[in-house]
Coordinates of all heavy atoms in Angstrom, one line a residue:
V1 N 0.9 -1.2 0.0 CA 0.0 0.0 0.0 C 0.9 1.2 0.0 O 1.7 1.4 0.9 CB -0.9 0.0 1.2 CG1 -1.8 1.3 1.2 CG2 -1.8 -1.2 1.3
H2 N 0.8 2.0 -1.0 CA 1.6 3.2 -1.2 C 0.8 4.5 -0.9 O -0.2 4.7 -1.5 CB 2.1 3.3 -2.7 CG 2.8 2.1 -3.2 ND1 4.0 1.6 -2.6 CD2 2.4 1.2 -4.2 CE1 4.3 0.5 -3.3 NE2 3.4 0.2 -4.2
G3 N 1.3 5.3 0.1 CA 0.7 6.5 0.4 C 1.3 7.7 -0.4 O 2.5 7.8 -0.5
I4 N 0.4 8.6 -0.8 CA 0.9 9.8 -1.5 C 0.1 11.0 -0.9 O -1.1 10.9 -0.7 CB 0.7 9.8 -3.0 CG1 1.5 8.6 -3.6 CG2 1.0 11.1 -3.7 CD1 1.4 8.5 -5.1
C5 N 0.8 12.1 -0.7 CA 0.1 13.3 -0.2 C -1.0 13.7 -1.2 O -0.7 13.8 -2.4 CB 1.1 14.4 0.0 SG 0.4 16.1 0.4
T6 N -2.2 14.0 -0.8 CA -3.3 14.3 -1.6 C -2.9 15.6 -2.5 O -3.3 15.7 -3.7 CB -4.5 14.5 -0.8 OG1 -4.9 13.3 -0.2 CG2 -5.7 15.1 -1.7
L7 N -2.3 16.6 -1.8 CA -2.0 17.8 -2.5 C -1.0 17.5 -3.7 O -1.0 18.2 -4.7 CB -1.4 18.8 -1.6 CG -2.3 19.2 -0.4 CD1 -1.6 20.3 0.5 CD2 -3.6 19.7 -0.9
D8 N -0.1 16.5 -3.5 CA 0.8 16.2 -4.5 C 0.1 15.6 -5.8 O 0.5 15.9 -6.9 CB 1.8 15.1 -4.0 CG 2.8 15.7 -3.0 OD1 2.8 16.9 -2.7 OD2 3.6 14.9 -2.5
G9 N -1.0 14.9 -5.5 CA -1.8 14.4 -6.6 C -2.4 15.5 -7.4 O -2.5 15.4 -8.7
I10 N -2.9 16.5 -6.7 CA -3.6 17.6 -7.4 C -2.5 18.4 -8.2 O -2.8 18.9 -9.3 CB -4.3 18.5 -6.4 CG1 -5.5 17.7 -5.7 CG2 -4.9 19.7 -7.1 CD1 -6.2 18.4 -4.6
A11 N -1.3 18.6 -7.6 CA -0.3 19.3 -8.2 C 0.1 18.6 -9.5 O 0.4 19.2 -10.6 CB 1.0 19.4 -7.3
Y12 N 0.2 17.2 -9.5 CA 0.6 16.5 -10.6 C -0.5 16.6 -11.7 O -0.2 16.7 -12.9 CB 0.8 15.0 -10.3 CG 1.5 14.2 -11.4 CD1 2.8 14.3 -11.6 CD2 0.8 13.3 -12.1 CE1 3.5 13.6 -12.6 CE2 1.4 12.5 -13.1 CZ 2.7 12.7 -13.3 OH 3.4 12.0 -14.3
A13 N -1.8 16.6 -11.3 CA -2.9 16.8 -12.3 C -2.7 18.2 -12.9 O -3.0 18.3 -14.1 CB -4.2 16.7 -11.6
A14 N -2.3 19.2 -12.2 CA -2.2 20.5 -12.8 C -1.0 20.5 -13.8 O -1.1 21.2 -14.8 CB -1.8 21.6 -11.7
G15 N 0.0 19.8 -13.5 CA 1.1 19.6 -14.5 C 0.6 18.9 -15.7 O 1.0 19.3 -16.8
Q16 N -0.2 17.8 -15.6 CA -0.7 17.1 -16.7 C -1.5 18.0 -17.6 O -1.6 17.8 -18.8 CB -1.5 15.9 -16.3 CG -0.7 14.8 -15.7 CD -1.5 13.6 -15.3 OE1 -2.6 13.8 -14.6 NE2 -1.1 12.4 -15.7
A17 N -2.2 19.0 -17.0 CA -3.1 19.9 -17.7 C -2.3 21.1 -18.3 O -2.9 21.9 -19.0 CB -4.2 20.4 -16.8
G18 N -1.0 21.1 -18.0 CA -0.2 22.2 -18.6 C -0.4 23.5 -17.9 O -0.2 24.6 -18.4
L19 N -0.8 23.5 -16.6 CA -1.1 24.7 -15.8 C -0.1 25.0 -14.8 O -0.3 25.9 -14.0 CB -2.5 24.5 -15.2 CG -3.7 24.3 -16.1 CD1 -4.9 24.0 -15.3 CD2 -3.9 25.5 -17.0
A20 N 1.0 24.3 -14.7 CA 1.9 24.5 -13.6 C 3.4 24.3 -14.0 O 4.0 23.4 -13.6 CB 1.6 23.4 -12.5
E21 N 3.8 25.3 -14.8 CA 5.2 25.2 -15.3 C 6.2 25.8 -14.3 O 7.4 25.6 -14.4 CB 5.3 25.8 -16.7 CG 4.4 25.1 -17.7 CD 4.5 25.8 -19.1 OE1 5.2 26.8 -19.2 OE2 3.9 25.3 -20.0
G22 N 5.8 26.7 -13.5 CA 6.6 27.4 -12.5 C 6.1 27.3 -11.1 O 5.3 26.4 -10.9
P23 N 6.5 28.1 -10.2 CA 6.0 28.1 -8.8 C 4.5 28.2 -8.8 O 3.9 29.1 -9.5 CB 6.7 29.2 -8.1 CG 7.9 29.5 -8.9 CD 7.6 29.1 -10.3
F24 N 3.8 27.4 -8.0 CA 2.4 27.5 -7.8 C 2.0 26.9 -6.5 O 2.8 26.3 -5.8 CB 1.7 26.8 -9.0 CG 1.8 25.3 -9.0 CD1 0.8 24.4 -8.5 CD2 3.0 24.7 -9.5 CE1 0.9 23.1 -8.6 CE2 3.1 23.3 -9.5 CZ 2.1 22.5 -9.0
V25 N 0.7 27.1 -6.2 CA 0.1 26.6 -4.9 C -1.0 25.7 -5.1 O -1.8 25.9 -6.1 CB -0.3 27.9 -4.1 CG1 -1.1 27.4 -2.8 CG2 0.9 28.7 -3.7
V26 N -1.1 24.7 -4.3 CA -2.3 23.8 -4.2 C -3.0 24.1 -2.9 O -2.4 24.1 -1.8 CB -2.0 22.3 -4.4 CG1 -3.2 21.5 -4.2 CG2 -1.3 22.1 -5.7
A27 N -4.3 24.3 -2.9 CA -5.1 24.5 -1.7 C -6.4 23.8 -1.7 O -7.1 23.9 -2.7 CB -5.3 26.0 -1.4
T28 N -6.7 23.0 -0.7 CA -8.0 22.3 -0.6 C -8.8 22.9 0.6 O -8.2 23.5 1.5 CB -7.8 20.8 -0.5 OG1 -7.1 20.5 0.7 CG2 -7.1 20.3 -1.7
D29 N -10.1 22.6 0.6 CA -10.9 23.1 1.7 C -10.7 22.3 3.0 O -10.9 21.1 3.0 CB -12.4 23.0 1.3 CG -13.4 23.6 2.3 OD1 -12.9 24.3 3.2 OD2 -14.6 23.3 2.2
A30 N -10.3 23.0 4.1 CA -10.1 22.3 5.3 C -11.3 22.6 6.3 O -11.2 22.2 7.5 CB -8.8 22.8 6.0
R31 N -12.3 23.2 5.8 CA -13.5 23.6 6.6 C -13.0 24.6 7.7 O -11.8 25.0 7.7 CB -14.2 22.4 7.2 CG -14.7 21.5 6.0 CD -15.3 20.2 6.6 NE -15.6 19.2 5.6 CZ -16.0 18.0 5.8 NH1 -16.1 17.5 7.0 NH2 -16.2 17.2 4.8
R32 N -13.9 25.0 8.6 CA -13.6 26.0 9.7 C -12.9 27.2 9.1 O -12.1 27.9 9.8 CB -12.6 25.3 10.7 CG -13.1 24.0 11.3 CD -12.1 23.6 12.4 NE -12.3 22.2 12.8 CZ -11.5 21.6 13.6 NH1 -10.4 22.2 14.2 NH2 -11.7 20.3 13.9
K33 N -13.2 27.6 7.9 CA -12.7 28.8 7.2 C -11.2 28.7 7.1 O -10.5 29.7 7.2 CB -13.1 30.0 7.9 CG -14.6 30.3 8.0 CD -15.0 31.6 8.6 CE -16.5 31.8 8.6 NZ -16.9 33.0 9.3

């Protein structure tokens, strides 16, 4: 069983879509504002 940080998966998806060639940020909803 291989664990991967969820944010890393979203970052990789951004790269696959050609949207992340330089510095960028991934942010997900943590609730509680």
Side-chain angles (χ1 to χ4, degrees):
V1 179
H2 307 295
I4 297 181
C5 174
T6 294
L7 302 182
D8 290 357
I10 298 174
Y12 194 73
Q16 288 181 313
L19 301 173
E21 297 180 357
F24 68 101
V25 172
V26 175
T28 59
D29 183 18
R31 303 175 187 172
R32 305 185 196 173
K33 298 182 180 180

